[in-house]
Amino acid sequence: MNICKIHENASKCSVNTMECFMVLSTQAQKISIAMLCGLFGTLCIFENSLVLYLIFSSPRTRRKPSYLFISSLALADILASIIFVCSFVNFHVFNETDFSKETFLLQLGGVNTSFSASLSSLLLTALDRYISISRPSEYKLLMKKACSLRGKRAWIALGVVWVTCTTIASLPLLGWNCCTLDSTCSELFPFVDNNYLSSWICFIMVLLGCIVYAYAHVLWRAHQHMAYMEKHQVQVGKQNTRMRMDVMLAKTLVMVLAVLVLCWSPVLVLMIYSIFARLSNCLRKVFAFCSTLCLLNSMVNPIIYALRSKELYSSLRMVFSRFRRQLKASEESPEAESTHKSSMIET
C-alpha cells in the first residue's frame, strides 16, 4: 500500500512506479500463477500447433476458407500464449522491471494484437457460415472460385485483419500513452492511457457484437434446416449432407464463441470498471488471476475442433495411426536385425 501512495505522488511514467502494478504479494499466489501459465501455455501451444499441422497437411482442408480462418485463430492463440506467458510471468512472478516503457508497450501490443486477431478470425468464420447458410447457392459458387484460386480472397481478408489489429494494438507504442499525452493512466496497465483502453474495449465489444449477431442468424437458419431435414427424411442426398456439415460446423463455432465469452468476460468487466472507479488491491489480484482464463480459452479451442470437426478428427486419427505404425516398426526392426545377424553367424 505504501508503494501505491508513493506512486500517486511520484511521476506516473517512471519505471520504478511499476512495482505498484505487481499485485501478487505472497509466494503461494506467484507459484499458482506460474503453474497456471505454464500448464495452459504449454498445452495451448501444443494443441494449436497440432491444429495448424492437421489443416495444412491436408489439401482438402487448407483450401477451404473456413479452415483458413480457423488456422488464423490457432496462430493467434499460439502467439498470445508465448507473449502472454513470458511477459506475465516475468512481471508478476519474477518482478522484473529492468525494461523500458517501449519494451513493455511492445509486449502489451503483441498480446492485444493476438487477441484482436483471434476475435477477428472468429468474425470472418462467422461471416463465412452466415453466407453458406443464408445464400447456399451463391456460397457454392464462391467456394468453387475460392478453391480454384486457393482461397485468395480468404488470404486477403486475413491479411487485412492482421494489419488492422497490429495497427490498433501499436497505437500506445506510437504515442497514444499517458506519458506522451500527460493524461490519466490506467490502473491495470502501466503507461496505458485510459482513453485508449476505452477505445480498445469498444473495438472488442463491436467485434463480439458482430459475431453474436452472425451466429444468432446462423443458429436460426440451422434450426430451420434441421426441422426441414427431419420433416423430409426420405430425401437424402448431397444437399442434405452439406446442410448437416454446415449445421455441425455452426454449432462447433458457437461452442468456441461461448467459451471465448465466458473466459474473457471477467477481464473485460474489470477493465470497464477500472475506467469509472478506482480498483482495490483485491480486485487487481482477481484481474491477474482472471487473465489466465485467456490462456484457458486458447487451450480449449483446439479440443473443440478435434471433437466437433469430422475432417480434423479423421485427420487426427490418421496421424495417430501413422505414428503407431512407425513406433511398431521401430520396435520390430531391432528384433529383425538381431535375427538376421544370428542367422549369418550360424551360416
Side-chain angles (χ1 to χ4, degrees):
M1 195 67 179
N2 293 332
I3 296 176
C4 292
K5 287 181 179 179
I6 295 172
H7 171 68
E8 292 176 357
N9 299 325
S11 172
K12 58 188 175 183
C13 293
S14 173
V15 177
N16 296 329
T17 60
M18 293 185 67
E19 296 179 3
C20 183
F21 294 90
M22 299 174 182
V23 295
L24 302 181
S25 54
T26 64
Q27 196 68 19
Q29 293 174 355
K30 295 181 180 180
I31 293 175
S32 300
I33 286 288
M35 290 179 63
L36 289 174
C37 289
L39 177 63
F40 293 161
T42 303
L43 290 176
C44 174
I45 294 172
F46 171 75
E47 292 171 358
N48 283 287
S49 299
L50 182 60
V51 168
L52 288 176
Y53 172 76
L54 293 177
I55 291 175
F56 286 99
S57 62
S58 172
R60 185 175 56 181
T61 55
R62 67 167 174 256
R63 292 177 183 175
K64 293 184 178 180
S66 319
Y67 289 103
L68 287 179
F69 300 147
I70 291 175
S71 65
S72 175
L73 176 63
L75 177 62
D77 287 337
I78 291 174
L79 293 177
S81 300
I82 295 174
I83 301 172
F84 179 86
V85 169
C86 293
S87 58
F88 196 79
V89 171
N90 199 36
F91 184 79
H92 284 288
V93 177
F94 297 107
N95 300 133
E96 289 289 336
T97 58
D98 189 19
F99 51 82
S100 62
K101 175 191 71 175
E102 289 74 18
T103 303
F104 178 84
L105 292 178
L106 181 62
Q107 294 174 351
L108 184 63
V111 175
N112 289 345
T113 299
S114 304
F115 174 55
S116 303
S118 178
L119 268 182
S120 301
S121 300
L122 275 176
L123 177 58
L124 291 177
T125 313
L127 294 176
D128 178 72
R129 291 299 92 200
Y130 178 88
I131 296 173
S132 67
I133 288 186
S134 60
R135 304 174 186 176
S137 58
E138 295 181 17
Y139 181 75
K140 190 175 182 180
L141 296 175
L142 288 174
M143 279 295 293
K144 287 183 179 179
K145 192 173 182 180
C147 290
S148 64
L149 297 176
R150 293 184 178 272
K152 184 178 180 180
R153 290 186 178 181
W155 285 108
I156 293 175
L158 288 175
V160 171
V161 159
W162 278 89
V163 170
T164 302
C165 294
T166 303
T167 302
I168 294 175
S170 302
L171 290 178
L173 185 62
L174 297 175
W176 192 356
N177 57 73
C178 58
C179 304
T180 305
L181 302 177
D182 195 23
S183 55
T184 305
C185 291
S186 170
E187 292 186 15
L188 294 174
F189 306 102
F191 314 127
V192 175
D193 179 62
N194 253 352
N195 293 326
Y196 170 79
L197 183 60
S198 304
S199 302
W200 187 80
I201 292 173
C202 290
F203 171 65
I204 296 301
M205 297 301 290
V206 168
L207 287 179
L208 284 173
C210 293
I211 294 172
V212 170
Y213 174 79
Y215 279 131
H217 184 82
V218 166
L219 283 178
W220 177 64
R221 294 303 296 267
H223 176 72
Q224 287 185 330
H225 285 176
M226 290 295 293
Y228 176 82
M229 286 186 291
E230 290 176 0
K231 188 176 181 180
H232 303 82
Q233 288 183 354
V234 181
Q235 300 177 1
V236 179
K238 292 184 178 180
Q239 186 176 1
N240 284 357
T241 303
R242 182 177 293 276
M243 284 183 180
R244 291 183 185 277
M245 290 177 63
D246 288 339
V247 170
M248 189 72 173
L249 187 54
K251 290 182 178 180
T252 300
L253 296 172
V254 168
M255 290 175 62
V256 173
L257 176 63
V259 171
L260 183 139
V261 171
L262 289 174
C263 290
W264 278 90
S265 55
V267 174
L268 290 175
V269 168
L270 287 174
M271 284 184 185
I272 295 172
Y273 182 76
S274 69
I275 296 173
F276 300 101
R278 182 174 291 275
L279 295 177
S280 62
N281 287 338
C282 181
L283 283 178
R284 293 166 71 191
K285 289 180 182 179
V286 170
F287 178 79
F289 278 93
C290 286
S291 299
T292 59
L293 291 175
C294 310
L295 283 176
L296 178 63
N297 167 67
S298 300
M299 185 193 74
V300 170
N301 283 343
I303 299 175
I304 299 176
Y305 304 147
L307 293 178
R308 300 287 298 179
S309 173
K310 289 185 178 180
E311 291 178 303
L312 289 185
Y313 183 71
S314 61
S315 298
L316 183 62
R317 290 184 62 181
M318 289 177 59
V319 169
F320 277 127
S321 62
R322 195 185 311 147
F323 175 75
R324 203 175 299 169
R325 286 196 301 267
Q326 291 177 353
L327 186 62
K328 190 176 180 180
S330 63
E331 289 177 353
E332 291 177 353
S333 58
E335 296 178 2
E337 288 179 3
S338 61
T339 305
H340 179 68
K341 288 181 179 177
S342 62
S343 63
M344 290 291 292
I345 293 172
E346 291 175 359
T347 305

